[in-house]
Amino acid sequence: MRILPGRCLFIALAVAFFIAPYVHGQQTAGPSGTDRNAVFAREEFRLGVQAYNRFSFNEAILSFERALSFRPGEPLILDWLGRAYYRSGMEDTALRQWQAALEFYERGSNEALLLASRIETVWNRRSLFPDLDENARYVDAGRYPGRYDDLTVYRQPTAVLPLEDGSAWVVAFGSNEIVRIDVNGIIRQRQRGPLNGFDRPYDIVRGPDGRLYVSEYHGGRVSILSSRGEWQGYIGSKGRGDGQFVGPQNMAVDEDGYLYVVDYGNRRVSKFDADGTYLLSFGGKTGTFPGFTSPTGIAAGNGSVYVADSVNRTVYRFDRNGSYLGITLSEGLQGPESLRFTSDGRLLAADTNRVVIIDPQSAVVHELGVVGNSRVRLVGADVDRNGNILAVNFQADEISVMTRLDDMAAGLFVQIERIVSDNFPEVTLELQVQDRQRRPIVGLDGRNFLLSEEGRAAGEQSFLGAAYLSDRTDISLLIERSPQTAGFRNDLAVAARDAAAASGRVVSVVSAGEQPFLERSADAAQLDRAARGTDSQYSPRWRFDLGLRLAATDLLPGEKKRAVVFLTSGALNELSFSQYSLSELAAYLANNGIVFYAVIIGNASPSREVEYLCSQTGGSVLPLYRPAGIGPVIEGLKEKPNGTYILRYRSGLPTDFGRAYLPVEAEVYLLERSGRDGTGYFPPLE
């Protein structure tokens, strides 16, 4: 087999249709005979598809535009042109191409339905990582039952702890164990504690160092476990003295790692350090506090400790030393059993048969959803990595998975992002699975995917991996070369060194000067020189937009967990968005899974544009000399959720010696939700 020279290829194609006999399983309408326009269009289209799969989106756009000049209105070219604009961050232009393509596709066809769904999703999307919406309604999307027919999996769950990979630890009070359940409801791990086992475990929380704490109601103690669930030791014992328990139940860990345990039988809360050293207790009757009647849920953070009392239907607030600060909420609850902080500082509560969100500032309670099982007693609730609420139903022996009603209706947003066919008929796909708000869906495996060709299941489908499981990261350093940073060269070097030490790999260092360019940074000495720069590089006409595009583009072929780290004074200039707008830059980063961090050099405040880019990509603004340093935040990139998956299959379609455009479709299923995408590729020329 050999590759035909370009001119010979055109001659060979002179009797072919424009885009193969296969387009999503349908015959392509097109000219026959020796229509040279069809030949030229087909070749440009092939080059565009190949450029797209190399992440060369600008090159792909040029090829698709040239193909359209030969075949105006061809929907498949318009569809691909929209894909290239979308990945380039130009979402408005992408939507126009897709709308034009939709007009040419047959109404109700598979192509039209897929494209209409994509248009609706991109159009309606509002933010990258939204928090719990108090106006949203959550409904049952599935369940993790404790029993399957006559098989008992676990009994009487009392608490749940979501993990970064989408799975969750479930505390099984009735079967004396904790079990880790994946997103498909499959038990992946069981832990029963030390040799003598857990004694009625009740709650589970995680410390900042990853260690787990499990309260044991009958045992009158708290077990310390490793991050993987191996038992390490005990905190406390039965009794009424300091550091002792009578029926420990719910727990919380604050941002400094202090552990708070609700001692139900002693009607108090006890505080310990991370290693289990007893510090203090509070909750007894004082001059201002009436004392606990039935303490249940607890949440600690932002300098406060909130404790729910199920009998009094009240949430009390204390400081971290146990001093009573007043009533946070005294109306609107039916019988709260657990409290958990959400990422935006509100409180998520399991309240009899429903899950509610509480604003501690305004004392407003909003009902998110009600569990519809006839046997209901919710004793715990938390939000998993996919944005679902996991509600612990003690009475029904199950975990209810509750999803936003609009997400249930809309399904999953699936995108085939790249196809590698170099080893055809073996074909590798990279897919991105998100919800309709662009949040990544993690925790999937091979059972969640179905690949097909022309309506038939693809052969030898295999699941190769998921980016959320990887702890490998790439970063690009983008350095502001303005007069404001020229006087902080030592700080720039410190920031570059700290960022490089915290990341997996520095892919590139980009000087954002008047003409941005790549710096040499192969070793520590070169990185130091690159960060400091030379006098000639600093200019009031430095270009942020061009520098950011260059830094981000270098990340595309590498790891899926990736970020641009911008070393900046915080201020931008009038040239910052001369070629690319703020929205286009944000979309370019977000649509390619790139997080944006801004490290502030000096004492200035960041501009709103810089804050916007951070918020839209899941990044943050970091003062260089913050107490904890910038390292822990950049290291946290390893834990960022990522919905990229890699699958492989063996194609059974004829290739026309590599000239045929071959279709492939991917469907994704998760509980009651699904989504799909369809596209195609060109195999190697023979």
Side-chain angles (χ1 to χ4, degrees), residues 159-286:
V160 63
L161 176 66
L163 301 177
E164 299 296 328
D165 64 0
S167 66
W169 284 110
V170 174
V171 177
F173 180 89
S175 49
N176 280 326
E177 62 186 340
I178 61 172
V179 295
R180 187 170 64 84
I181 302 179
D182 70 12
V183 297
N184 295 304
I186 306 299
I187 302 290
R188 295 298 184 183
Q189 189 177 352
R190 291 182 185 273
Q191 294 294 139
R192 293 188 169 91
L195 289 177
N196 58 331
F198 292 129
D199 192 357
R200 299 305 180 197
Y202 195 90
D203 196 13
I204 181 170
V205 293
R206 178 172 47 198
D209 61 358
R211 284 189 293 184
L212 305 175
Y213 301 95
V214 176
S215 60
E216 298 182 49
Y217 184 82
H218 282 178
R221 63 200 178 204
V222 173
S223 277
I224 305 174
L225 282 63
S226 73
S227 60
R228 295 184 298 275
E230 297 101 343
W231 185 83
Q232 295 182 333
Y234 288 125
I235 297 174
S237 60
K238 281 186 178 181
R240 299 192 179 275
D242 291 344
Q244 293 185 312
F245 307 106
V246 176
Q249 291 189 347
N250 291 287
M251 299 181 293
V253 176
D254 68 18
E255 54 266 54
D256 293 325
Y258 292 107
L259 174 68
Y260 301 81
V261 183
V262 172
D263 185 357
Y264 185 84
N266 287 318
R267 297 184 184 180
R268 66 188 179 188
V269 172
S270 293
K271 180 179 179 179
F272 302 84
D273 69 13
D275 295 321
T277 301
Y278 170 79
L279 300 175
L280 58 90
S281 295
F282 60 91
K285 184 177 181 180
T286 66

Side-chain angles (χ1 to χ4, degrees), residues 168-476:
W169 284 110
V170 174
V171 177
F173 180 89
S175 49
N176 280 326
E177 62 186 340
I178 61 172
V179 295
R180 187 170 64 84
I181 302 179
D182 70 12
V183 297
N184 295 304
I186 306 299
I187 302 290
R188 295 298 184 183
Q189 189 177 352
R190 291 182 185 273
Q191 294 294 139
R192 293 188 169 91
L195 289 177
N196 58 331
F198 292 129
D199 192 357
R200 299 305 180 197
Y202 195 90
D203 196 13
I204 181 170
V205 293
R206 178 172 47 198
D209 61 358
R211 284 189 293 184
L212 305 175
Y213 301 95
V214 176
S215 60
E216 298 182 49
Y217 184 82
H218 282 178
R221 63 200 178 204
V222 173
S223 277
I224 305 174
L225 282 63
S226 73
S227 60
R228 295 184 298 275
E230 297 101 343
W231 185 83
Q232 295 182 333
Y234 288 125
I235 297 174
S237 60
K238 281 186 178 181
R240 299 192 179 275
D242 291 344
Q244 293 185 312
F245 307 106
V246 176
Q249 291 189 347
N250 291 287
M251 299 181 293
V253 176
D254 68 18
E255 54 266 54
D256 293 325
Y258 292 107
L259 174 68
Y260 301 81
V261 183
V262 172
D263 185 357
Y264 185 84
N266 287 318
R267 297 184 184 180
R268 66 188 179 188
V269 172
S270 293
K271 180 179 179 179
F272 302 84
D273 69 13
D275 295 321
T277 301
Y278 170 79
L279 300 175
L280 58 90
S281 295
F282 60 91
K285 184 177 181 180
T286 66
T288 56
F289 179 57
F292 291 128
T293 301
S294 177
T296 50
I298 185 169
N302 301 321
S304 297
V305 180
Y306 297 89
V307 183
D309 191 303
S310 61
V311 171
N312 296 334
R313 302 177 184 179
T314 301
V315 176
Y316 300 104
R317 178 172 168 243
F318 303 83
D319 69 14
R320 298 203 304 174
N321 294 318
S323 297
Y324 179 58
L325 299 179
I327 293 176
T328 294
L329 185 69
S330 60
E331 296 180 351
L333 297 177
Q334 300 171 3
E337 292 270 6
S338 75
L339 295 177
R340 288 285 192 267
F341 265 121
T342 63
S343 59
D344 61 354
R346 292 181 293 173
L347 297 170
L348 186 74
D351 188 32
T352 61
N353 67 335
R354 62 183 188 150
V355 178
V356 301
I357 192 84
I358 302 169
D359 185 338
Q361 302 300 318
S362 63
V364 172
V365 178
H366 181 81
E367 183 180 283
L368 294 176
V370 176
V371 172
N373 196 305
S374 59
R375 300 170 58 228
V376 182
R377 180 191 166 195
L378 297 186
V379 296
D382 210 338
V383 181
D384 75 5
R385 258 306 179 183
N386 293 328
N388 304 307
I389 295 174
L390 303 182
V392 183
N393 191 341
F394 178 85
Q395 189 167 343
D397 276 346
E398 65 185 20
I399 306 297
S400 289
V401 183
M402 305 176 72
T403 299
R404 288 168 55 117
L405 181 59
D406 52 354
D407 285 345
M408 280 286 290
L412 302 173
F413 184 43
V414 179
Q415 301 169 84
I416 300 174
E417 293 195 323
R418 186 180 182 218
I419 301 176
V420 180
S421 59
D422 296 348
N423 297 318
F424 188 87
E426 188 176 83
V427 181
T428 301
L429 272 65
E430 290 183 5
L431 298 93
Q432 181 71 221
V433 185
Q434 302 170 326
D435 68 10
R436 296 297 168 138
Q437 301 299 324
R438 201 166 16 200
R439 291 176 299 195
I441 300 296
V442 302
L444 306 182
D445 57 32
R447 76 191 73 213
N448 299 103
F449 296 87
L450 176 63
L451 305 179
S452 60
E453 297 178 311
E454 297 186 305
R456 296 187 295 272
E460 301 179 26
Q461 176 180 320
S462 58
F463 182 81
L464 300 186
Y468 73 87
L469 293 173
S470 174
D471 60 0
R472 300 175 60 182
T473 61
D474 283 346
I475 68 167
S476 281

Side-chain angles (χ1 to χ4, degrees), residues 110-186:
N110 188 51
E111 296 85 1
L113 294 174
L114 286 174
L115 190 53
S117 177
R118 190 188 316 147
I119 291 170
E120 180 183 12
T121 297
V122 175
W123 186 266
N124 291 329
R125 213 158 41 196
R126 295 183 296 276
S127 63
L128 187 62
F129 296 113
D131 293 309
L132 284 172
D133 181 358
E134 65 180 21
N135 296 315
R137 187 70 181 174
Y138 285 74
V139 296
D140 283 344
R143 294 173 183 175
Y144 303 152
R147 291 181 60 87
Y148 290 93
D149 298 325
D150 294 330
L151 175 65
T152 298
V153 180
Y154 62 88
R155 290 190 294 113
Q156 293 179 310
T158 48
V160 63
L161 176 66
L163 301 177
E164 299 296 328
D165 64 0
S167 66
W169 284 110
V170 174
V171 177
F173 180 89
S175 49
N176 280 326
E177 62 186 340
I178 61 172
V179 295
R180 187 170 64 84
I181 302 179
D182 70 12
V183 297
N184 295 304
I186 306 299

